[in-house]
Amino acid sequence: MQKKNLFLFVCAALLAMQASAEEVSIKITKKYLNLPVAHQIQRSVMTFKVDGKQERMFNIRLASGLADYWVFCDVSSFKDKTITISYKGDNSGLKSIYQADEIAGQENLYKETNRPQLHFTPKRGWHNDPNGLIYYEGEYHLFYQHNPYERDWENMHWGHAISKDLIHWEEIQEALYPDEHGTMFSGSAVIDYNNTAGFNKGKTPAMVAIYTADNPDRQIQCIAYSLDKGRTWTKYDGNPVIDSKEKWNSKDTRDPKVFWYEPNKEWVMALNERDGHSIYTSANLKEWKYESHITGFWECPELFELPVDGDMNNKKWVMYGASGTYMIGTFDGKKFTPESGKYYYTTGSIYAAQTFTNIPESDGRRIQIGWGRISHPGMPFNSQMLLPTTLTLKTTKDGIRLFNNPVKEVDKLQTLLFQKQTIQVKEANELLHSYSNSDCLRVQFTIKLSHATDAGFNLYGQQLLRYDMNNNLVNGVFYSPEDMTSMEITADIIVDKTSIEVFIDNGTYSYSMERRADAGNREGYHFWGNNIEIKDLKVYSMISIWNK
């Protein structure tokens, strides 16, 4: 009998040891849980349970030994509760997880070797498409596709950052987490002032997010709402609000962009489906009616109205997709009818750009932020947002076209170093040479060609601008200036640690690229071209957006 009892005791002890090895329990007294990541480890599922209920589930490469870097999870909402953490892979790394009021690496945050200093990046993890861009009560909200647990794509959440000036951003807690419907793909946000969805509380209007949930079988459209300026979110019990897989016989139905259409007193949704953008309408954000479809776009639809040449009595509608090619036309609340296009206004690293909703009429700008597909080797984060820009419609020799320029708030970051009304190439290069290793610089100029039909501006051998007037090319892309016989081209170039954005001829055309110097080149900033002249040269230093 004693032997049997001893055997049972040993078995129970072994089971208890096994259980403790497979999971850990932590009573939350701090803001963050810090988790080690190693890329030689295969991804596996980690689960957080509180009071027996699953609260978080995600894939992570949990380091069993030395970590490549650390990521974090904001657990402040679970304060004084016990989180039980389990991991289906090699769970020896569970013992390394710890809680703190600072993230691991906080002392070096925003000072890392390849951290952009002018562009938003999250503290940790991969991020891509901007989502839910909205202005509300003095704050610009930037939601974005985010994998908080690795520098590569996976685990799509909605990350969240706020700003009072479009330039300085504060990253706050994740807004939307994966759930039973899938991971959180792109979408938009609105303020439901009229309480059409019934989510408002007293005089507080709901901020409503409309997003795609992605799972292996289908993509569906869902909604969630916030009553505290986007800090916490409640998902609608009746989700999904649109499930159109059978209609289109395609999984590809995503990225809802929603806005209030005042003439019809209803909500309009532009939704990318299979081969283009569909239009849906709704009275309450919950029940949607299919209206029309237009082919030729892929992902991340936009649809908005702009005045032409600033004339509020002459407006046109603009539709574009993730690539940035656009059409100009009319919209009657049910159907977009193109009148011209398709055209491009920007190229390069930009993708999936979105514009802000709810901008005050007193401001009146159509402000856009795009995802910059630029890598950051060796960093615990990846990718970046491009600078916010203002979109306008202007009449050109080719018709009405979309223009794109940095928002005026960018000017707050700059200090003039020097300017020259006219200057020869040799002198310009000598003046610029000492700034060639600057992390951040803004350079504006006009190049006047003479004997040459090919001229440009380099940084350590990388072509920031090459204007081939003979073939009408700017950095290899067709470009026809307003004055077709003009011998001049104007550029506004903003250089950050890892990226470069270029705006040509006051926003007629723009492009962005990774900053990638030729390792063998020693020229630094360098104008080139046969007998060219530099006009209106202005050079600015740029202060970091993380410098408080």
Side-chain angles (χ1 to χ4, degrees), residues 285-314:
L285 294 169
K286 299 174 179 176
E287 298 159 325
W288 293 88
K289 178 185 177 185
Y290 170 81
E291 300 287 359
S292 62
H293 184 77
I294 185 168
T295 59
F297 293 103
W298 176 248
E299 298 188 318
C300 304
E302 263 289 3
L303 180 60
F304 51 84
E305 190 178 31
L306 283 176
V308 178
D309 302 322
D311 183 357
M312 300 303 291
N313 295 315
N314 179 23

Side-chain angles (χ1 to χ4, degrees), residues 158 229 235 275 327 422:
W158 269 30
K229 295 186 177 182
K235 291 175 180 174
D275 59 5
M327 295 179 182
T422 60

Side-chain angles (χ1 to χ4, degrees), residues 456-465 523-528:
F457 185 57
N458 293 356
L459 175 57
Y460 287 118
Q462 182 178 13
Q463 289 186 351
L464 310 192
L465 168 65
E523 284 181 334
Y525 284 108
H526 179 75
F527 287 100
W528 57 270

